[in-house]
């Protein structure tokens, strides 16, 4: 069955430190992969996406993610975290165009940033 | 281009009542999906509409229903509300025309429903 795992429920980093949020997926084919961010009380904002091609993708707000097929991972990274990055981050997998149209989300990682 | 809008933003209902939530997708988007988000269950897929037809449905009881209009606007309805229906309901839209824009969903701010 298709699934997305975000093993870290909470992560705390100091402002200016680097960040890596983990995401592993289980899927029968190469999926479409996404990272979203949700600030308290808000909807989800798309940070970046991977469909094909270069496995290192750049997103908004200085985030990047690397698709590693051999590890079934799509980890999100940022070299220097800002206090405004405190939020909840969701990894999601979407089907290819011919598949059932359905997104699967991970359970989220809540990021806390220390001043 | 305006983003996905949802109305109302906040709603308080009592058990047994019904509620209708509205979602206006990004102009040109024909696919609208609905999600329920709760602290315990996370983001769960409710259903997806494309060109006024429900294409996919999640594992929710029949009390949860939806529809889509010819202008792609969508509504979801929950009848006989239960305390457990308290959640943030998110709507997302996408183009569905193929290419790299296909399958990218853009989310609205959500409707927060509290059932007392």
């Amino acid at each position: 069955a298709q699934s997305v795992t975000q093993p870290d429920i909470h992560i705390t980093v100091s402002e200016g430190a680097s960040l890596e949020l983990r995401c592993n997926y289980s899927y029968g084919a190469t999926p479409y992969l996404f990272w979203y961010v949700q600030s308290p009380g808000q909807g989800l904002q798309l940070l970046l996406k991977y469909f094909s091609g270069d496995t290192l993708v750049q997103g908004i707000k200085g985030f990047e993610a690397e698709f590693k097929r051999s590890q079934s991972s799509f980890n999100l990274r940022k070299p220097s975290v800002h206090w405004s990055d405190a939020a909840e981050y969701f990894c999601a997998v979407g089907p290819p165009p011919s598949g059932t149209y359905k997104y699967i989300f991970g359970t989220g990682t809540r990021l806390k940033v220390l001043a | 281009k305006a983003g996905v809008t949802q109305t109302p933003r906040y709603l308080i209902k009592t058990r047994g009542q019904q509620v209708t939530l509205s979602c206006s997708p990004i102009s040109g988007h024909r696919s609208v999906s609905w999600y329920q988000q709760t602290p315990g269950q996370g983001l769960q897929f409710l259903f997806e509409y494309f060109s006024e037809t429900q294409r996919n449905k999640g594992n929710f009881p029949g009390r949860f229903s939806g529809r889509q209009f010819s202008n792609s606007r969508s509504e979801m309805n929950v009848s006989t509300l239960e305390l457990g229906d308290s959640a943030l309901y998110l709507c997302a839209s996408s183009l569905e025309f193929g290419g790299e824009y296909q399958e990218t969903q853009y989310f609205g701010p959500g409707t927060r429903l509290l059932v007392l």
Side-chain angles (χ1 to χ4, degrees):
Chain A
Q2 301 157 6
S3 65
V4 177
T5 302
Q6 293 180 247
D8 303 305
I9 299 174
H10 298 278
I11 282 187
T12 300
V13 299
S14 298
E15 191 170 19
S18 63
L19 171 71
E20 183 169 28
L21 302 183
R22 296 182 290 166
C23 172
N24 293 96
Y25 65 89
S26 172
Y27 200 79
T30 300
Y32 291 179
L33 294 159
F34 307 84
W35 274 100
Y36 286 88
V37 60
Q38 185 178 34
S39 297
Q42 301 298 314
L44 275 69
Q45 181 183 21
L46 180 68
L47 282 175
L48 47 79
K49 60 190 178 187
Y50 171 79
F51 285 174
S52 64
D54 193 349
T55 57
L56 184 63
V57 293
Q58 302 297 320
I60 62 172
K61 304 185 179 187
F63 285 93
E64 65 177 28
E66 186 172 13
F67 169 61
K68 293 185 176 180
R69 185 191 305 273
S70 61
Q71 298 176 20
S72 296
S73 69
F74 188 57
N75 294 348
L76 181 72
R77 301 193 294 248
K78 187 170 184 177
S80 178
V81 171
H82 187 262
W83 64 266
S84 60
D85 293 327
E88 191 157 20
Y89 293 79
F90 294 91
C91 180
V93 58
S98 60
T100 301
Y101 187 80
K102 184 176 176 179
Y103 265 37
I104 300 171
F105 282 85
T107 51
T109 297
R110 188 172 296 278
L111 174 65
K112 182 177 179 179
V113 180
L114 301 176
Chain B
K1 188 179 278 190
V4 178
T5 59
Q6 292 186 245
T7 57
R9 291 293 311 278
Y10 303 93
L11 208 49
I12 299 176
K13 292 286 187 180
T14 56
R15 278 183 301 173
Q17 287 187 309
Q18 75 165 14
V19 66
T20 299
L21 312 181
S22 180
C23 171
S24 292
I26 292 172
S27 177
H29 285 193
R30 293 200 293 163
S31 171
V32 174
S33 297
W34 289 90
Y35 295 84
Q36 181 195 65
Q37 186 178 27
T38 59
Q41 299 296 319
L43 273 156
Q44 292 187 288
F45 173 77
L46 278 156
F47 29 65
E48 184 255 344
Y49 286 87
F50 179 75
S51 293
E52 302 179 64
T53 301
Q54 186 183 88
R55 291 197 303 186
N56 290 285
K57 191 176 189 304
N59 297 322
F60 279 82
R63 300 185 296 108
F64 292 82
S65 62
R67 60 177 175 169
Q68 186 180 34
F69 302 94
S70 58
N71 61 358
S72 294
R73 190 178 70 86
S74 178
E75 289 181 347
M76 69 163 280
N77 183 276
V78 188
S79 62
T80 319
L81 284 166
E82 301 176 359
L83 296 179
D85 296 333
S86 294
L88 180 67
Y89 290 88
L90 293 164
C91 164
S93 75
S94 66
L95 266 174
E96 272 290 337
F97 280 116
E100 76 169 40
Y101 296 103
Q102 188 171 1
E103 310 292 352
T104 297
Q105 294 193 319
Y106 297 89
F107 284 79
T111 294
R112 186 163 296 280
L113 171 65
L114 177 62
V115 182
L116 301 176

